[in-house]
Each structure stands twice: as C-alpha cells, then as structure tokens.
Amino acid sequence: MEQLTVSVCHSLKIIPVARLTRFARYRSCVILITVGTPEDAAAVPGSIKISTTSDKGIIKKKITFDRSGVSDSAADILESYKCQRLVATYVDENGNTRVSGSPDFSLNLDYTTGNGVFAVTLSGEDTQPDGYLAD
C-alpha cells in the first residue's frame, strides 16, 4: 500500500557527496563530516516542503522549495548542483535535524524560474527514511 507524508521544515542545507569525508548510518542516526560547511539553500521562509512516498520497500523522497534572488550567480550555483550527487540536511517540524540522501542513495536537483524565484526540487530514492543527525 502506498503512503504519502508531507511536512514543512526549515534550515535546509545542501551538501555535494564529493564534499563528504565520512558518512555513517546506524539505525536511525546519521553521522556525517564534510569538507567546509554545508551550503545554505537560501530558501524562502515557509516554502520548504518534504514529501515521501513508500511503495514496496522503496522510499521516494522529494524536497521542494523556492529560492529568492534570481540572478546569474544563483543560477550558476544551481546548475553546478544539477550535475552532482547531493545530500541535504533540514530541521523538521519537531526541531530535529534530519539527513536526506546518502552517498549510495543521493538526491538530484532540478529547478525552474518563475514569479521572481527559482522553484527547486531535490528528489531521490532510498530504502530507509531520513535519518537523525547525530551530535
């Protein structure tokens, strides 16, 4: 049976898999160490939406958000993310920092421009739900 869950979150950060030096998942916890700091997604407040669909053990993940500041430099950043494997972190509605994606099940980015913002979508598949970032 298919199940759809949608939640609103904040503090979305995007991390290219190439910048991960360590990534480990133990049960529901994720430990990750990066080169440099994760990039803030610069999402318009309240626009970040997380949705997951589960079907036969495969979890399809989708993170959508609007990014303000339509410019050539912002488009260059998004274009560079389009050709990279990505992981994202976000703070969920309960205040927990969650990790979406992994080196084995990375996220892909796509975007469009309209109404003065970039409409950005991160999507991917995994066998486990988003983990909780360990301290």
Side-chain angles (χ1 to χ4, degrees), residues 76-130:
D76 288 344
I77 291 168
L78 293 174
E79 277 297 321
S80 72
Y81 285 152
K82 278 180 74 170
C83 60
Q84 296 184 60
R85 298 172 34 221
L86 304 169
V87 172
T89 65
Y90 61 91
V91 177
D92 68 12
E93 62 274 2
N94 295 318
N96 301 309
T97 302
R98 306 288 298 268
V99 179
S100 184
S102 70
D104 294 330
F105 297 99
S106 61
L107 302 174
N108 300 310
L109 183 139
D110 196 15
Y111 72 95
T112 59
T113 306
N115 299 326
V117 296
F118 290 109
V120 183
T121 302
L122 290 163
S123 60
E125 294 182 346
D126 202 339
T127 56
Q128 297 181 358
D130 293 348

